């Protein structure tokens, strides 16, 4: 795979190093030549110049790129690079780094961005994931199609514990794509039984994410009421917004 990475700083260099270790063809574009020596990258091709210039992207063979990663510390530059990659070179996939959360709304298909990666959002998500067991946490936003990657850590004594994947009434626009159990990733099947402490990963729409959060919260509250002797069932409640009769496929 031919990948063009714009921005040779710590973020761009780290991405390039990982891709090179996986055997990909990597070109790094940066406005200053000094970063070449500091990066200590072996095997990468370098182009020195302003990537907002079409000629510089041509030197990086952007027309051959499978992916362009705009990873500079300047949101304006990342947006321009993404737009040029899509509109001028027909790059099939673009990834844009968001440096300032207030600019995140700009990183969408209108600017040629397929996936927006916000470091502040990711760090917040990781913090929330560590301390907010029992809450749905958004990890990434895929701007094309408004899809998100979300995670949920199953708390102890939650009603979904001991249920199989097909027994849980997932909302319509939600797909369970992975289970992380004791550090081991599992591709979920309908017969897999959910356990306390499982980290569940979903591809969903924003609406589906809200429905998923409501489903887990309702189930938790029903379970707490039953445990306190306030009535109610410990069974997993149906999702109010459910539009289809049967559970969707648990895999993407």
């Amino acid at each position: 795979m031919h990948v063009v990475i714009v921005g040779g700083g710590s973020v761009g260099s780290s991405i390039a190093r990982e891709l090179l270790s996986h055997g990909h063809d990597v070109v790094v574009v940066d406005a200053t030549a000094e970063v070449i020596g500091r990066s200590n990258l072996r095997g990468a091709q370098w182009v020195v110049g302003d990537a907002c210039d079409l000629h510089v992207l041509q030197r990086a063979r952007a027309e051959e790129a499978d992916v362009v990663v705009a990873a500079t510390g300047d949101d304006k530059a990342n947006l321009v690079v993404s737009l040029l990659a899509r509109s001028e070179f027909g790059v099939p996939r673009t990834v844009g780094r968001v440096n300032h959360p207030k600019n995140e709304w700009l990183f969408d298909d209108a600017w040629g961005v397929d996936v927006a990666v916000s470091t502040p959002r990711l760090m917040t998500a990781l913090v929330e994931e560590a301390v907010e067991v029992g809450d749905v946490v958004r990890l990434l936003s895929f701007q094309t199609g408004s899809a998100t990657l979300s995670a949920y850590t199953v708390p102890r004594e939650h009603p979904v514990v001991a249920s199989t994947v097909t027994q849980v009434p997932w909302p319509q626009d939600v797909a369970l794509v992975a289970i992380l159990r004791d550090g081991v990733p599992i591709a979920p099947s309908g017969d897999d039984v959910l356990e306390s402490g499982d980290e569940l990963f979903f591809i969903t729409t924003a609406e589906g994410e809200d429905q998923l959060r409501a489903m887990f919260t309702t189930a938790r509250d029903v379970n707490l009421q039953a445990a306190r002797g306030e009535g109610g069932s410990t069974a997993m409640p149906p999702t109010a917004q459910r539009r289809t009769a049967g559970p969707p496929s648990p895999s993407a």
Side-chain angles (χ1 to χ4, degrees):
M1 182 168 65
H2 179 54
V3 182
V4 175
I5 300 174
V6 177
S10 58
V11 174
S13 295
S14 296
I15 297 170
R17 191 171 292 108
E18 288 291 322
L19 291 173
L20 288 167
S21 70
H22 296 162
H24 298 296
D25 175 38
V26 177
V27 178
V28 182
V29 182
D30 198 276
T32 59
E34 288 79 6
V35 297
I36 299 177
R38 294 198 303 265
S39 67
N40 196 29
L41 283 177
R42 297 182 179 179
Q45 304 169 55
W46 285 86
V47 172
V48 177
D50 183 355
C52 295
D53 186 331
L54 285 174
H55 297 295
V56 174
L57 289 176
Q58 287 172 345
R59 286 163 51 201
R61 296 183 288 122
E63 70 279 0
E64 302 174 17
D66 299 287
V67 182
V68 167
V69 180
T72 77
D74 185 338
D75 285 344
K76 296 188 294 296
N78 291 341
L79 286 170
V80 172
V81 167
S82 299
L83 183 60
L84 291 177
R86 173 61 53 76
S87 62
E88 299 296 328
F89 296 98
V91 177
R93 186 170 180 80
T94 60
V95 179
R97 174 188 175 188
V98 184
N99 295 279
H100 300 290
K102 67 179 182 179
N103 297 328
E104 190 172 3
W105 67 277
L106 290 166
F107 285 73
D108 59 13
D109 191 55
W111 279 95
V113 180
D114 289 313
V115 181
V117 181
S118 172
T119 302
R121 178 183 287 278
L122 279 175
M123 293 181 70
T124 301
L126 290 171
V127 170
E128 288 179 343
E129 185 182 23
V131 299
E132 297 292 339
V133 174
D135 191 19
V136 176
V137 177
R138 180 179 299 183
L139 300 178
L140 283 175
S141 295
F142 302 98
Q143 297 296 342
T144 302
S146 300
T148 67
L149 172 64
S150 302
Y152 180 83
T153 302
V154 180
R156 295 181 61 185
E157 300 180 358
H158 193 281
V160 298
V161 174
S163 299
T164 64
V165 169
T166 53
Q167 287 176 329
V168 179
W170 309 111
Q172 180 181 3
D173 297 330
V174 171
L176 176 63
V177 295
I179 300 173
L180 188 64
R181 180 177 297 159
D182 298 325
V184 178
I186 300 171
S189 67
D191 295 329
D192 283 319
V193 178
L194 300 178
E195 299 181 5
S196 173
D198 281 352
E199 292 185 63
L200 311 180
F201 294 86
F202 305 91
I203 299 294
T204 177
T205 62
E207 181 183 359
E209 183 183 77
D210 290 338
Q211 294 175 8
L212 188 67
R213 183 174 290 107
M215 182 193 78
F216 280 127
T217 301
T218 300
R220 180 194 60 200
D221 292 346
V222 168
N223 200 43
L224 285 173
Q225 289 176 3
R228 293 168 180 166
E230 299 175 12
S233 169
T234 58
M236 190 70 191
T239 304
Q241 293 93 342
R242 190 60 182 250
R243 304 192 194 103
T244 56
S249 171
S251 59

